[in-house]
Each structure stands twice: as C-alpha cells, then as structure tokens.
Amino acid sequence: SPPQMSKIRLEADEIGILREHFAAAVAGSSGELSRPDFIAAMRAIKLDTVAAPEILFDLFDTDKSGTISLKEFLVAFSALTRGTTTERLHQFFSAFDADGSDSIERHELVALLEVVKCLGSDTPGEPLREEDKAEAVALASKVFLKVDDDGNETLDFAEFSRWVSSDVTAIEWLGKIAAHFDHNLATLREVKAQELLRLELERM
C-alpha cells in the first residue's frame, strides 16, 4: 500500500492563510468542507482558474468521506507545492483509488490521467477536449502494458510509481501542477502581506 503522507512542509504564515480561507468557507457544523464549501473556497483563493473545483475536490478528499478536513486541505497543498515526488504521487494515487483498495483500476487511471492532463496543461481551467479524453484512454492502456507485471488489471503503488518515474511527460505534468499551486500560494502570501501593511498604516 502507498505510504501515508502526513508531513506538512508549508511555512507557518502559509498555514495561517490557508486556515483562514478554510474556516471562512466551512458552512456547516462539522468543521469540514462539503463539496459546495470547497468550490467556494477554491474560487475565493483563485484556484478555480487552475482547474474546475469539482476536479480538485477528489484530489483533496483522499479518505473519500465526501468532506475535506483541515488536515486534508493542508496536506494536499503541501504535497502539491512542496512535497517530494513520492508525496505528490501518493496524493494522486489516494485520490483516484476510489474504492480504497490500495490499487488503481483501468477506469480510475483514465480519470486520473484526465485530471493530470487538465492540471498540467498550458491552459489550466479549460475543459478537456474529446481528443484529450481519447488520449487519456490510450495512455492508460500503454501504462498497463508497461508496468502491470502481474496482469491483474490493477496498479499497486509500486507499479504506479515505476510508471511515473520512467515517463518524461508524467514528470513534466507533475512539475506544472506544482508550479500552478505554488504560484497561487505565493499570490495569497503577497495579498496577506499587503493587507497587514494596510492595517499597520491605518494605526499610524
């Protein structure tokens, strides 16, 4: 099974900013983000320009509970911006292991490839074209032929990692995704710094 990703590599001020946005978006009493809450949060921090919030929800909701906890929220941001390659892979693997079987089936890999292709494109946020979807199906078939050693029509984390680490395009996609999220987080820090400066000037 894939390693558990629990290390948060964000700076203290980044955690503070994300906690604020998380708290502002939580509408119910559970203390977690529902799907509508999450979509609102993504729009508030401008991540809906990176990909459709509906797509991002599955990437953050790794325990498949239907809601996103603060820890899931921070861990996802950390993995996608500051995480090691293994941590990023774990984030995607867990997100698309829809049945919690510690393996990815062919249709789950197709869904993952569609999301990665969308997030890693030069025009993130745009809906996938039909040819992109067809390409995801074809690529999934190639991946299974290449690394599904036991022929059981599922990929465990080791097989999944071996594919990504040997595929230049997949590595490039991961890099672009990290760049999108990191740029967004840097923008949030800049906005917060300007807000604090404004408040300080008002007190003078």
Side-chain angles (χ1 to χ4, degrees):
S1 65
Q4 293 303 304
M5 208 310 246
S6 58
K7 186 172 288 188
I8 296 175
R9 302 177 186 277
L10 300 168
E11 299 292 335
D13 65 323
E14 293 171 333
I15 291 174
I17 291 166
L18 292 173
R19 284 175 68 102
E20 285 180 17
H21 282 286
F22 182 93
V26 173
S29 59
S30 68
E32 300 194 348
L33 295 176
S34 65
R35 191 175 288 267
D37 294 342
F38 179 79
I39 291 172
M42 291 298 98
R43 288 181 179 148
I45 60 181
K46 311 300 184 187
L47 265 175
D48 58 331
T49 61
V50 172
E54 295 82 358
I55 289 175
L56 292 175
F57 186 88
D58 291 327
L59 194 56
F60 280 64
D61 182 26
T62 51
D63 67 358
K64 299 295 172 290
S65 65
T67 59
I68 294 171
S69 67
L70 177 60
K71 182 176 180 181
E72 282 179 312
F73 193 70
L74 295 176
V75 164
F77 259 96
S78 177
L80 295 171
T81 59
R82 307 290 157 71
T84 64
T85 298
T86 298
E87 288 167 346
R88 289 177 190 166
L89 290 181
H90 176 253
Q91 193 70 30
F92 280 96
F93 188 92
S94 299
F96 289 88
D97 175 19
D99 55 5
S101 62
D102 287 341
S103 62
I104 291 182
E105 298 170 28
R106 189 180 292 263
H107 70 278
E108 292 172 334
L109 181 61
V110 170
L112 184 153
L113 291 171
E114 288 180 352
V115 169
V116 171
K117 189 167 180 60
C118 177
L119 291 175
S121 74
D122 294 322
T123 56
E126 294 292 321
L128 281 181
R129 301 167 299 176
E130 287 304 315
E131 52 263 41
D132 293 324
K133 295 180 181 180
E135 185 181 337
V137 172
L139 181 54
S141 295
K142 290 180 182 177
V143 171
F144 269 86
L145 281 173
K146 186 174 183 179
V147 298
D148 183 23
D149 296 331
D150 51 17
N152 65 350
E153 281 296 297
T154 64
L155 301 181
D156 60 27
F157 186 69
E159 291 169 330
F160 176 71
S161 299
R162 186 153 53 86
W163 160 60
V164 174
S165 63
S166 65
D167 189 288
V168 174
T169 302
I171 294 171
E172 181 184 343
W173 280 344
L174 283 177
K176 285 183 177 180
I177 292 165
H180 289 319
F181 274 79
D182 202 44
H183 174 75
N184 183 269
L185 196 51
T187 301
L188 290 177
R189 293 181 81 176
E190 185 178 337
V191 169
K192 185 67 175 179
Q194 290 174 350
E195 179 185 329
L196 292 173
L197 177 60
R198 179 181 58 80
L199 290 172
E200 187 176 331
L201 289 172
E202 287 177 354
R203 294 192 192 102
M204 293 176 68

